[in-house]
Amino acid sequence: MAEIIQKGGTWVFDGDALRLTPGRDRNVSVLRQELGELVVPLRALAGISFEQGRRSGRLRLRLRDGSDPLTYATGGRLAETDDPCRLTVEPDRYGVAEYVTDEVRAALLLRGVPGTPVSEYLLPGPPVPLSVSAGDGTASFDGERVRLEWNWKTEEVKAAGGPRTLALADVLGVEWQPAAGLENGHLRFRVRGGPARTRAKYDPDAVELWGFRRDPLMALVAAAVQARLPHPSASAVPEAAEADHDALLRRLRELGELHRAGVLTDDEFTTAKRAVLTRM
């Protein structure tokens, strides 16, 4: 088992999964606190890296495309402080961070985990029911319906329609966009038969966000809904399977080179090769 404990959180790797637990430090973001512990199975990882810095370092996980509904719904736009796949490392723990990195990389190699996209979510979405108030409204999701309610800051033309209830079966997609510069953000739902797309401040299927502290929590609503929608790559399964096969062939070549170079023992090479061939 490999473990690293920092103010921002604790990462524990048991050979099958990484358990990411947010720290109790006051600087830990409200999103990480609300998301809680996250278990990332090894097969959801495309890689891990550790970067040293003068004052602090960074552990970073790279997930396989399509494996995480939160990453997909936010389009990679989460701030680093909100991203559960990032951990700040103090200089006196650089050696531990390098050890964790080496252990995860070795497991990825021996298990023959490809870095290719997946056709199903390997991480769960946030638990429901879930309700978040931010910007010009409140978004709630119970697993079957999304409800949008407005507050006194909502534009009159949007509030005039009253609360909006969206059946999950009618939701085609969801996106979360943070406020950036002079541009406001939003949590937006694409709905079958919904109104024409317009700015979030006028869109009855969107909550407008202004860059305040609770805005990132709307990303949890987006992820919870996304996790219960059909996987976005479902229509591209043949292409994904072909790409996966090519990746496995490359993995076999890499294993052979590592074995010839003496990096892998005979037993390690046999185990890793068997895992790759089983996947093929």
Side-chain angles (χ1 to χ4, degrees), residues 4 17 23 37-38 95 98 116-117 119 122 132 143 150 154-155 160 180 200 224 235 255 261 272 275:
I4 181 167
E37 185 177 82
L38 186 65
E98 290 173 345
T116 52
S119 58
L122 303 179
V132 175
W150 316 117
T154 309
E155 286 290 325
S235 61
L255 290 171

Side-chain angles (χ1 to χ4, degrees), residues 135-249:
D136 71 349
T138 297
S140 304
F141 180 53
D142 63 5
E144 297 180 357
R145 290 171 297 277
V146 174
R147 183 171 174 81
L148 303 177
E149 300 175 84
W150 316 117
N151 57 39
W152 64 272
K153 295 169 284 188
T154 309
E155 286 290 325
E156 184 176 351
V157 66
K158 183 160 111 174
R164 182 107 161 120
T165 299
L166 312 173
L168 183 62
D170 293 329
V171 176
L172 302 176
V174 57
E175 64 179 27
W176 173 85
Q177 173 75 51
L182 298 178
E183 294 293 325
N184 291 335
H186 61 258
L187 170 66
R188 187 191 304 275
F189 298 91
R190 290 190 297 107
V191 182
R192 184 178 290 104
R197 188 182 180 99
T198 184
R199 293 173 61 187
K201 67 187 301 181
Y202 304 120
D203 188 346
D205 293 331
V207 176
E208 186 178 36
L209 304 174
W210 300 313
F212 296 143
R213 182 172 178 267
R214 291 182 61 81
D215 283 9
L217 292 180
M218 284 292 184
L220 298 182
V221 179
V225 174
Q226 185 66 55
R228 291 161 176 81
L229 294 176
H231 193 275
S233 65
S235 61
V237 170
E239 291 83 353
E242 183 177 351
D244 189 55
H245 186 270
D246 291 342
L248 292 172
L249 289 176

Side-chain angles (χ1 to χ4, degrees), residues 79 90 131 135 164 178 183 193 273:
E90 298 299 320
S131 183
R164 182 107 161 120
E183 294 293 325
K273 180 180 177 181

Side-chain angles (χ1 to χ4, degrees), residues 27-32 78-84 86 88:
N27 293 321
V28 174
S29 76
V30 64
L31 183 146
R32 285 295 293 120
L78 281 176
E80 184 162 324
T81 53
D82 292 322
D83 191 340
R86 304 286 186 268
T88 300

